[in-house]
Amino acid sequence: MKTVGETLIDLLEVNDVDVVFGIPGVHTVELYRGLSGSKIRHITPRHEQGAGFMADGYARVSGKPGVCLVITGPGLTNIITPMAQAYQDSVPMLVISGVNARATLGHGRGRLHELPDQRGMMATLALMSHTLHNPDDLADVMERAFAILRSGRPGPVHIEIPTDVMALPVAPPRLQMARPGRPRAEAQMIADAASLCLAAKKPAILVGGGAVAAAKDILALAERLDAPLVTTTNARGAFAHHPLSVPASPSLKSVRELVAEADLVLAFGTQMGQTDYDMYVDNNFPALKNLVRIDIDAGQLARGPLAALSLLSSAENAAADLLAAIGTGNSRQGNGAGRAEAGRAAALAELTPKMRAEIAVLDTIRDTLAGTIIVGDSTQAVYAGNLYYEAGRPHGWFNAATGYGALGYGPPAAIGAAIADPKAPVICLTGDGGFQFTLAEIGAAKDAGTRVIFLVWNNDGYQEIESYMVECGIAPEGVKPTPPDFLKIAEAFGLPARRLSDVAELPVALEAFRDLAGPSLIEIHQTKTAGATA
């Protein structure tokens, strides 16, 4: 018979896991026993926070859960921040940790890496947290974990295995992939929604990150209804450059006016939360006429805003069902392309010249590197892109400046994205302040041979916070952390690097680094690089 650790690897393989992120330790070595003989690739970050963010980026691009192996105690507490980010952004992540031997749990006798109640702590932010006391329960627990990850609203799941259980023998379990169950709205609810669609003269559609997998059917529905498609940050690129696409934030006045004027708004897979719909916290997002919400999470539907109709369904099922219910001969004429074009122009005009210059840099990246994925950290160019940027592909734009908003997300998440899609150009757009949170992960990118281009947007500190303090009449303090010489950091890790004197040099630099076998670095300085600001 195999051990629990060996069987765990078998169960990961049968559930289509091809990569795990983790740092081995004494408290997890038995989980690694079967890894070298498996088809699963192991990626070693420099910090467990990096493991979690890599798993996040991997999951967003691959569509599969990101899996991490971490030690008990500090390994697990280090990964809490990425788990919270995954919870807020509905990203499937499986964290498998060690925990001290069963007989020691709860006694508080100062064991190495001991926590008072590790599972209880994780239960506050995981969709499921389970301690494996009985080896024979392993297959059932793993099946339940993957069913949760694939069935409802995704998020982090945690399984902990006591150190004295990891090496125990376990009877050969059934090796079968967990089967997801995706909710589907009742036929009458779909019929009611279809009736509203057919009656609408000026419909609009809101699309969130939870609906990207349904983009093809949602686009067909939009074309049939002649409805502009407003995409939130995590849905950008789902309808790249389509005449109905409005790649602009619902926090902008012009986009709010577009949806407020609609006589029907379909909202697919979007939380309609503050970081997308009320970024400036002005509480002015309008009440919508005939709002129809489609969400996989009943709790989210209950949180509001108030809808005329709420459909508990996956976006894929709802879009397909609505298309079938509306039929092919009922195309509407609502000047959707004209309304979308006016919305795009008004949204862009609403931004400052500085923001437009930053968006122009994003456009240059997209147009230079076809199929590129831009993974952002919290930095000013990313904030501008969240307000307005049309990615060139689905999952071609995501960052931590939504939801939980963790600094240091970009570098490791970009590594995860590059592992998920090794053929795609991947840009990590990070500020000099945020980069220093996870700077060491350059080494992980080098080890893994990922073709990530780290694009550092350097403004010598936390300029966004400094500007906010000034606006609030507060003397700036703590906003000038000295950045390192990033080119020397790159040299230390063996990365080719270039500092731009003019933004016009960016296409040449991108082309030069595009086909390298590993990572590289480009620096744009906000005041020293010509063209970085208007």
Side-chain angles (χ1 to χ4, degrees), residues 302-349:
R303 292 184 187 105
L306 184 65
L309 191 63
S310 295
L311 305 183
L312 179 62
S313 174
S314 70
E316 303 97 301
N317 286 341
D321 291 346
L322 278 172
L323 275 173
I326 290 171
T328 57
N330 293 291
S331 295
R332 318 300 290 174
Q333 297 297 321
N335 190 29
R339 288 187 289 138
E341 183 178 11
R344 290 192 298 269
L348 195 57

mmCIF file of all heavy atoms in Angstrom, residues 302-349:
data_model
loop_
_atom_site.group_PDB
_atom_site.id
_atom_site.type_symbol
_atom_site.label_atom_id
_atom_site.label_comp_id
_atom_site.label_asym_id
_atom_site.label_seq_id
_atom_site.Cartn_x
_atom_site.Cartn_y
_atom_site.Cartn_z
ATOM 1 N N ALA A 302 -28.367 37.721 -3.090
ATOM 2 C CA ALA A 302 -29.145 38.283 -1.984
ATOM 3 C C ALA A 302 -28.556 39.586 -1.459
ATOM 4 O O ALA A 302 -29.245 40.351 -0.785
ATOM 5 C CB ALA A 302 -29.237 37.261 -0.846
ATOM 6 N N ARG A 303 -27.291 39.853 -1.764
ATOM 7 C CA ARG A 303 -26.637 41.049 -1.218
ATOM 8 C C ARG A 303 -27.008 42.321 -1.967
ATOM 9 O O ARG A 303 -26.703 43.409 -1.531
ATOM 10 C CB ARG A 303 -25.117 40.865 -1.249
ATOM 11 C CG ARG A 303 -24.612 39.806 -0.279
ATOM 12 C CD ARG A 303 -23.090 39.740 -0.269
ATOM 13 N NE ARG A 303 -22.662 38.598 0.539
ATOM 14 C CZ ARG A 303 -22.189 37.462 0.047
ATOM 15 N NH1 ARG A 303 -22.078 37.305 -1.263
ATOM 16 N NH2 ARG A 303 -21.837 36.475 0.845
ATOM 17 N N GLY A 304 -27.608 42.193 -3.120
ATOM 18 C CA GLY A 304 -27.983 43.383 -3.868
ATOM 19 C C GLY A 304 -26.910 43.739 -4.877
ATOM 20 O O GLY A 304 -25.876 43.079 -4.951
ATOM 21 N N PRO A 305 -27.198 44.736 -5.706
ATOM 22 C CA PRO A 305 -28.347 45.645 -5.655
ATOM 23 C C PRO A 305 -29.660 44.947 -6.012
ATOM 24 O O PRO A 305 -29.664 43.841 -6.545
ATOM 25 C CB PRO A 305 -27.992 46.710 -6.689
ATOM 26 C CG PRO A 305 -27.092 46.014 -7.650
ATOM 27 C CD PRO A 305 -26.313 45.039 -6.850
ATOM 28 N N LEU A 306 -30.730 45.635 -5.730
ATOM 29 C CA LEU A 306 -32.062 45.087 -5.961
ATOM 30 C C LEU A 306 -32.259 44.818 -7.447
ATOM 31 O O LEU A 306 -32.013 45.667 -8.292
ATOM 32 C CB LEU A 306 -33.123 46.068 -5.467
ATOM 33 C CG LEU A 306 -34.579 45.586 -5.566
ATOM 34 C CD1 LEU A 306 -34.799 44.388 -4.648
ATOM 35 C CD2 LEU A 306 -35.531 46.729 -5.203
ATOM 36 N N ALA A 307 -32.679 43.614 -7.765
ATOM 37 C CA ALA A 307 -32.872 43.213 -9.161
ATOM 38 C C ALA A 307 -34.339 42.914 -9.432
ATOM 39 O O ALA A 307 -35.078 42.468 -8.555
ATOM 40 C CB ALA A 307 -32.024 41.988 -9.481
ATOM 41 N N ALA A 308 -34.742 43.139 -10.668
ATOM 42 C CA ALA A 308 -36.098 42.753 -11.070
ATOM 43 C C ALA A 308 -36.222 41.242 -11.160
ATOM 44 O O ALA A 308 -37.287 40.676 -10.926
ATOM 45 C CB ALA A 308 -36.428 43.388 -12.423
ATOM 46 N N LEU A 309 -35.094 40.605 -11.463
ATOM 47 C CA LEU A 309 -35.078 39.148 -11.614
ATOM 48 C C LEU A 309 -33.670 38.651 -11.295
ATOM 49 O O LEU A 309 -32.691 39.235 -11.771
ATOM 50 C CB LEU A 309 -35.470 38.760 -13.045
ATOM 51 C CG LEU A 309 -35.763 37.296 -13.351
ATOM 52 C CD1 LEU A 309 -36.970 36.807 -12.548
ATOM 53 C CD2 LEU A 309 -36.024 37.125 -14.849
ATOM 54 N N SER A 310 -33.574 37.610 -10.486
ATOM 55 C CA SER A 310 -32.279 37.028 -10.128
ATOM 56 C C SER A 310 -32.266 35.568 -10.549
ATOM 57 O O SER A 310 -33.157 34.798 -10.165
ATOM 58 C CB SER A 310 -32.030 37.133 -8.620
ATOM 59 O OG SER A 310 -31.907 38.479 -8.221
ATOM 60 N N LEU A 311 -31.244 35.194 -11.316
ATOM 61 C CA LEU A 311 -31.117 33.819 -11.803
ATOM 62 C C LEU A 311 -29.924 33.153 -11.138
ATOM 63 O O LEU A 311 -28.779 33.592 -11.321
ATOM 64 C CB LEU A 311 -30.923 33.795 -13.321
ATOM 65 C CG LEU A 311 -31.959 34.509 -14.192
ATOM 66 C CD1 LEU A 311 -31.635 34.314 -15.666
ATOM 67 C CD2 LEU A 311 -33.359 34.010 -13.894
ATOM 68 N N LEU A 312 -30.198 32.104 -10.378
ATOM 69 C CA LEU A 312 -29.119 31.321 -9.782
ATOM 70 C C LEU A 312 -28.643 30.325 -10.832
ATOM 71 O O LEU A 312 -29.282 29.302 -11.088
ATOM 72 C CB LEU A 312 -29.606 30.594 -8.529
ATOM 73 C CG LEU A 312 -28.564 29.713 -7.823
ATOM 74 C CD1 LEU A 312 -27.388 30.548 -7.341
ATOM 75 C CD2 LEU A 312 -29.207 28.958 -6.664
ATOM 76 N N SER A 313 -27.525 30.658 -11.473
ATOM 77 C CA SER A 313 -27.048 29.856 -12.595
ATOM 78 C C SER A 313 -25.595 30.198 -12.878
ATOM 79 O O SER A 313 -25.133 31.315 -12.596
ATOM 80 C CB SER A 313 -27.889 30.143 -13.852
ATOM 81 O OG SER A 313 -27.374 29.477 -14.981
ATOM 82 N N SER A 314 -24.888 29.231 -13.441
ATOM 83 C CA SER A 314 -23.590 29.570 -14.004
ATOM 84 C C SER A 314 -23.822 30.476 -15.199
ATOM 85 O O SER A 314 -24.880 30.430 -15.851
ATOM 86 C CB SER A 314 -22.834 28.315 -14.429
ATOM 87 O OG SER A 314 -23.438 27.722 -15.561
ATOM 88 N N ALA A 315 -22.852 31.308 -15.497
ATOM 89 C CA ALA A 315 -22.984 32.203 -16.646
ATOM 90 C C ALA A 315 -23.115 31.407 -17.941
ATOM 91 O O ALA A 315 -23.893 31.780 -18.837
ATOM 92 C CB ALA A 315 -21.780 33.140 -16.712
ATOM 93 N N GLU A 316 -22.370 30.298 -18.043
ATOM 94 C CA GLU A 316 -22.418 29.485 -19.255
ATOM 95 C C GLU A 316 -23.834 28.937 -19.485
ATOM 96 O O GLU A 316 -24.370 29.021 -20.603
ATOM 97 C CB GLU A 316 -21.436 28.315 -19.168
ATOM 98 C CG GLU A 316 -19.989 28.714 -18.926
ATOM 99 C CD GLU A 316 -19.611 28.628 -17.464
ATOM 100 O OE1 GLU A 316 -20.262 29.311 -16.644
ATOM 101 O OE2 GLU A 316 -18.668 27.877 -17.135
ATOM 102 N N ASN A 317 -24.429 28.376 -18.447
ATOM 103 C CA ASN A 317 -25.765 27.809 -18.589
ATOM 104 C C ASN A 317 -26.806 28.889 -18.898
ATOM 105 O O ASN A 317 -27.669 28.715 -19.770
ATOM 106 C CB ASN A 317 -26.162 27.050 -17.330
ATOM 107 C CG ASN A 317 -25.443 25.723 -17.193
ATOM 108 O OD1 ASN A 317 -24.923 25.183 -18.169
ATOM 109 N ND2 ASN A 317 -25.387 25.187 -15.981
ATOM 110 N N ALA A 318 -26.724 30.003 -18.194
ATOM 111 C CA ALA A 318 -27.719 31.056 -18.390
ATOM 112 C C ALA A 318 -27.631 31.666 -19.780
ATOM 113 O O ALA A 318 -28.663 31.914 -20.436
ATOM 114 C CB ALA A 318 -27.553 32.140 -17.327
ATOM 115 N N ALA A 319 -26.432 31.920 -20.257
ATOM 116 C CA ALA A 319 -26.277 32.516 -21.581
ATOM 117 C C ALA A 319 -26.803 31.575 -22.658
ATOM 118 O O ALA A 319 -27.518 32.002 -23.588
ATOM 119 C CB ALA A 319 -24.811 32.856 -21.837
ATOM 120 N N ALA A 320 -26.460 30.294 -22.541
ATOM 121 C CA ALA A 320 -26.942 29.317 -23.524
ATOM 122 C C ALA A 320 -28.464 29.197 -23.480
ATOM 123 O O ALA A 320 -29.132 29.134 -24.524
ATOM 124 C CB ALA A 320 -26.289 27.966 -23.270
ATOM 125 N N ASP A 321 -29.021 29.178 -22.269
ATOM 126 C CA ASP A 321 -30.469 29.027 -22.129
ATOM 127 C C ASP A 321 -31.220 30.250 -22.651
ATOM 128 O O ASP A 321 -32.278 30.133 -23.285
ATOM 129 C CB ASP A 321 -30.836 28.762 -20.661
ATOM 130 C CG ASP A 321 -30.374 27.400 -20.176
ATOM 131 O OD1 ASP A 321 -30.014 26.562 -21.025
ATOM 132 O OD2 ASP A 321 -30.357 27.180 -18.949
ATOM 133 N N LEU A 322 -30.675 31.439 -22.385
ATOM 134 C CA LEU A 322 -31.324 32.653 -22.882
ATOM 135 C C LEU A 322 -31.282 32.727 -24.404
ATOM 136 O O LEU A 322 -32.265 33.129 -25.051
ATOM 137 C CB LEU A 322 -30.655 33.890 -22.282
ATOM 138 C CG LEU A 322 -31.103 34.281 -20.874
ATOM 139 C CD1 LEU A 322 -30.229 35.392 -20.318
ATOM 140 C CD2 LEU A 322 -32.566 34.721 -20.885
ATOM 141 N N LEU A 323 -30.159 32.332 -24.984
ATOM 142 C CA LEU A 323 -30.071 32.311 -26.449
ATOM 143 C C LEU A 323 -31.142 31.401 -27.043
ATOM 144 O O LEU A 323 -31.817 31.752 -28.024
ATOM 145 C CB LEU A 323 -28.684 31.829 -26.876
ATOM 146 C CG LEU A 323 -27.581 32.879 -26.952
ATOM 147 C CD1 LEU A 323 -26.242 32.209 -27.214
ATOM 148 C CD2 LEU A 323 -27.877 33.902 -28.046
ATOM 149 N N ALA A 324 -31.279 30.219 -26.446
ATOM 150 C CA ALA A 324 -32.275 29.268 -26.950
ATOM 151 C C ALA A 324 -33.694 29.806 -26.787
ATOM 152 O O ALA A 324 -34.555 29.635 -27.664
ATOM 153 C CB ALA A 324 -32.127 27.931 -26.227
ATOM 154 N N ALA A 325 -33.946 30.483 -25.639
ATOM 155 C CA ALA A 325 -35.289 30.983 -25.371
ATOM 156 C C ALA A 325 -35.663 32.158 -26.271
ATOM 157 O O ALA A 325 -36.820 32.309 -26.683
ATOM 158 C CB ALA A 325 -35.405 31.392 -23.901
ATOM 159 N N ILE A 326 -34.689 32.997 -26.605
ATOM 160 C CA ILE A 326 -34.974 34.169 -27.434
ATOM 161 C C ILE A 326 -35.152 33.781 -28.890
ATOM 162 O O ILE A 326 -35.978 34.359 -29.615
ATOM 163 C CB ILE A 326 -33.838 35.207 -27.278
ATOM 164 C CG1 ILE A 326 -33.900 35.820 -25.876
ATOM 165 C CG2 ILE A 326 -33.926 36.304 -28.326
ATOM 166 C CD1 ILE A 326 -32.725 36.690 -25.528
ATOM 167 N N GLY A 327 -34.405 32.791 -29.330
ATOM 168 C CA GLY A 327 -34.520 32.346 -30.716
ATOM 169 C C GLY A 327 -33.667 33.163 -31.657
ATOM 170 O O GLY A 327 -33.161 34.238 -31.311
ATOM 171 N N THR A 328 -33.514 32.684 -32.868
ATOM 172 C CA THR A 328 -32.595 33.310 -33.823
ATOM 173 C C THR A 328 -33.229 34.414 -34.648
ATOM 174 O O THR A 328 -32.534 35.219 -35.265
ATOM 175 C CB THR A 328 -32.032 32.244 -34.782
ATOM 176 O OG1 THR A 328 -33.139 31.598 -35.435
ATOM 177 C CG2 THR A 328 -31.215 31.211 -34.042
ATOM 178 N N GLY A 329 -34.535 34.488 -34.666
ATOM 179 C CA GLY A 329 -35.183 35.454 -35.553
ATOM 180 C C GLY A 329 -35.642 36.705 -34.847
ATOM 181 O O GLY A 329 -36.570 37.361 -35.319
ATOM 182 N N ASN A 330 -35.029 37.028 -33.727
ATOM 183 C CA ASN A 330 -35.538 38.148 -32.933
ATOM 184 C C ASN A 330 -34.469 39.211 -32.664
ATOM 185 O O ASN A 330 -34.412 39.802 -31.590
ATOM 186 C CB ASN A 330 -36.074 37.629 -31.584
ATOM 187 C CG ASN A 330 -37.305 36.759 -31.770
ATOM 188 O OD1 ASN A 330 -38.352 37.249 -32.141
ATOM 189 N ND2 ASN A 330 -37.161 35.468 -31.504
ATOM 190 N N SER A 331 -33.590 39.434 -33.618
ATOM 191 C CA SER A 331 -32.546 40.430 -33.417
ATOM 192 C C SER A 331 -33.166 41.815 -33.238
ATOM 193 O O SER A 331 -34.102 42.194 -33.939
ATOM 194 C CB SER A 331 -31.585 40.444 -34.610
ATOM 195 O OG SER A 331 -30.899 39.218 -34.688
ATOM 196 N N ARG A 332 -32.644 42.594 -32.311
ATOM 197 C CA ARG A 332 -33.178 43.913 -32.003
ATOM 198 C C ARG A 332 -32.354 44.987 -32.716
ATOM 199 O O ARG A 332 -31.239 44.761 -33.160
ATOM 200 C CB ARG A 332 -33.132 44.173 -30.490
ATOM 201 C CG ARG A 332 -33.550 42.994 -29.631
ATOM 202 C CD ARG A 332 -34.974 42.544 -29.902
ATOM 203 N NE ARG A 332 -35.945 43.508 -29.416
ATOM 204 C CZ ARG A 332 -37.250 43.430 -29.627
ATOM 205 N NH1 ARG A 332 -37.736 42.421 -30.327
ATOM 206 N NH2 ARG A 332 -38.071 44.335 -29.141
ATOM 207 N N GLN A 333 -32.881 46.182 -32.774
ATOM 208 C CA GLN A 333 -32.180 47.316 -33.343
ATOM 209 C C GLN A 333 -32.174 48.427 -32.296
ATOM 210 O O GLN A 333 -33.067 49.255 -32.247
ATOM 211 C CB GLN A 333 -32.861 47.778 -34.632
ATOM 212 C CG GLN A 333 -32.871 46.746 -35.754
ATOM 213 C CD GLN A 333 -31.473 46.391 -36.228
ATOM 214 O OE1 GLN A 333 -30.609 47.272 -36.322
ATOM 215 N NE2 GLN A 333 -31.232 45.125 -36.509
ATOM 216 N N GLY A 334 -31.154 48.391 -31.428
ATOM 217 C CA GLY A 334 -31.091 49.367 -30.345
ATOM 218 C C GLY A 334 -29.895 50.286 -30.432
ATOM 219 O O GLY A 334 -29.487 50.872 -29.425
ATOM 220 N N ASN A 335 -29.320 50.426 -31.655
ATOM 221 C CA ASN A 335 -28.135 51.266 -31.840
ATOM 222 C C ASN A 335 -27.047 50.912 -30.833
ATOM 223 O O ASN A 335 -26.391 51.786 -30.280
ATOM 224 C CB ASN A 335 -28.509 52.751 -31.726
ATOM 225 C CG ASN A 335 -27.369 53.665 -32.156
ATOM 226 O OD1 ASN A 335 -26.548 53.281 -32.994
ATOM 227 N ND2 ASN A 335 -27.294 54.850 -31.567
ATOM 228 N N GLY A 336 -26.876 49.618 -30.611
ATOM 229 C CA GLY A 336 -25.906 49.177 -29.615
ATOM 230 C C GLY A 336 -24.491 49.596 -29.932
ATOM 231 O O GLY A 336 -23.760 50.092 -29.054
ATOM 232 N N ALA A 337 -24.059 49.423 -31.175
ATOM 233 C CA ALA A 337 -22.696 49.804 -31.545
ATOM 234 C C ALA A 337 -22.481 51.305 -31.385
ATOM 235 O O ALA A 337 -21.419 51.750 -30.929
ATOM 236 C CB ALA A 337 -22.403 49.365 -32.977
ATOM 237 N N GLY A 338 -23.488 52.098 -31.737
ATOM 238 C CA GLY A 338 -23.375 53.541 -31.580
ATOM 239 C C GLY A 338 -23.295 53.949 -30.115
ATOM 240 O O GLY A 338 -22.508 54.824 -29.739
ATOM 241 N N ARG A 339 -24.131 53.318 -29.302
ATOM 242 C CA ARG A 339 -24.085 53.627 -27.868
ATOM 243 C C ARG A 339 -22.758 53.193 -27.255
ATOM 244 O O ARG A 339 -22.197 53.897 -26.403
ATOM 245 C CB ARG A 339 -25.245 52.941 -27.144
ATOM 246 C CG ARG A 339 -26.604 53.565 -27.445
ATOM 247 C CD ARG A 339 -27.698 52.971 -26.583
ATOM 248 N NE ARG A 339 -28.025 51.603 -26.965
ATOM 249 C CZ ARG A 339 -28.246 50.613 -26.111
ATOM 250 N NH1 ARG A 339 -28.145 50.835 -24.807
ATOM 251 N NH2 ARG A 339 -28.567 49.406 -26.545
ATOM 252 N N ALA A 340 -22.236 52.038 -27.706
ATOM 253 C CA ALA A 340 -20.950 51.559 -27.190
ATOM 254 C C ALA A 340 -19.821 52.499 -27.606
ATOM 255 O O ALA A 340 -18.947 52.842 -26.794
ATOM 256 C CB ALA A 340 -20.676 50.145 -27.692
ATOM 257 N N GLU A 341 -19.844 52.943 -28.857
ATOM 258 C CA GLU A 341 -18.799 53.853 -29.335
ATOM 259 C C GLU A 341 -18.833 55.171 -28.560
ATOM 260 O O GLU A 341 -17.784 55.694 -28.153
ATOM 261 C CB GLU A 341 -18.982 54.123 -30.823
ATOM 262 C CG GLU A 341 -17.901 55.003 -31.415
ATOM 263 C CD GLU A 341 -18.076 55.222 -32.908
ATOM 264 O OE1 GLU A 341 -19.145 54.857 -33.438
ATOM 265 O OE2 GLU A 341 -17.146 55.757 -33.542
ATOM 266 N N ALA A 342 -20.016 55.696 -28.340
ATOM 267 C CA ALA A 342 -20.140 56.941 -27.570
ATOM 268 C C ALA A 342 -19.675 56.728 -26.140
ATOM 269 O O ALA A 342 -19.011 57.601 -25.554
ATOM 270 C CB ALA A 342 -21.594 57.418 -27.593
ATOM 271 N N GLY A 343 -19.984 55.560 -25.554
ATOM 272 C CA GLY A 343 -19.548 55.264 -24.191
ATOM 273 C C GLY A 343 -18.044 55.162 -24.086
ATOM 274 O O GLY A 343 -17.443 55.672 -23.119
ATOM 275 N N ARG A 344 -17.414 54.527 -25.079
ATOM 276 C CA ARG A 344 -15.951 54.422 -25.065
ATOM 277 C C ARG A 344 -15.300 55.803 -25.146
ATOM 278 O O ARG A 344 -14.370 56.120 -24.396
ATOM 279 C CB ARG A 344 -15.472 53.550 -26.232
ATOM 280 C CG ARG A 344 -15.796 52.082 -26.111
ATOM 281 C CD ARG A 344 -15.044 51.251 -27.152
ATOM 282 N NE ARG A 344 -15.402 51.602 -28.520
ATOM 283 C CZ ARG A 344 -16.374 51.025 -29.214
ATOM 284 N NH1 ARG A 344 -17.110 50.068 -28.651
ATOM 285 N NH2 ARG A 344 -16.625 51.382 -30.464
ATOM 286 N N ALA A 345 -15.788 56.618 -26.070
ATOM 287 C CA ALA A 345 -15.204 57.950 -26.254
ATOM 288 C C ALA A 345 -15.379 58.810 -25.007
ATOM 289 O O ALA A 345 -14.446 59.499 -24.568
ATOM 290 C CB ALA A 345 -15.842 58.629 -27.463
ATOM 291 N N ALA A 346 -16.562 58.760 -24.414
ATOM 292 C CA ALA A 346 -16.825 59.576 -23.222
ATOM 293 C C ALA A 346 -15.999 59.095 -22.032
ATOM 294 O O ALA A 346 -15.503 59.906 -21.236
ATOM 295 C CB ALA A 346 -18.319 59.540 -22.886
ATOM 296 N N ALA A 347 -15.846 57.787 -21.898
ATOM 297 C CA ALA A 347 -15.066 57.249 -20.781
ATOM 298 C C ALA A 347 -13.610 57.668 -20.886
ATOM 299 O O ALA A 347 -12.994 58.086 -19.898
ATOM 300 C CB ALA A 347 -15.185 55.724 -20.755
ATOM 301 N N LEU A 348 -13.047 57.578 -22.086
ATOM 302 C CA LEU A 348 -11.650 57.957 -22.261
ATOM 303 C C LEU A 348 -11.453 59.449 -22.046
ATOM 304 O O LEU A 348 -10.471 59.885 -21.426
ATOM 305 C CB LEU A 348 -11.184 57.549 -23.662
ATOM 306 C CG LEU A 348 -9.678 57.537 -23.911
ATOM 307 C CD1 LEU A 348 -8.955 56.627 -22.921
ATOM 308 C CD2 LEU A 348 -9.375 57.104 -25.341
ATOM 309 N N ALA A 349 -12.408 60.251 -22.514
ATOM 310 C CA ALA A 349 -12.312 61.705 -22.347
ATOM 311 C C ALA A 349 -12.414 62.116 -20.884
ATOM 312 O O ALA A 349 -11.919 63.185 -20.495
ATOM 313 C CB ALA A 349 -13.408 62.391 -23.164
#
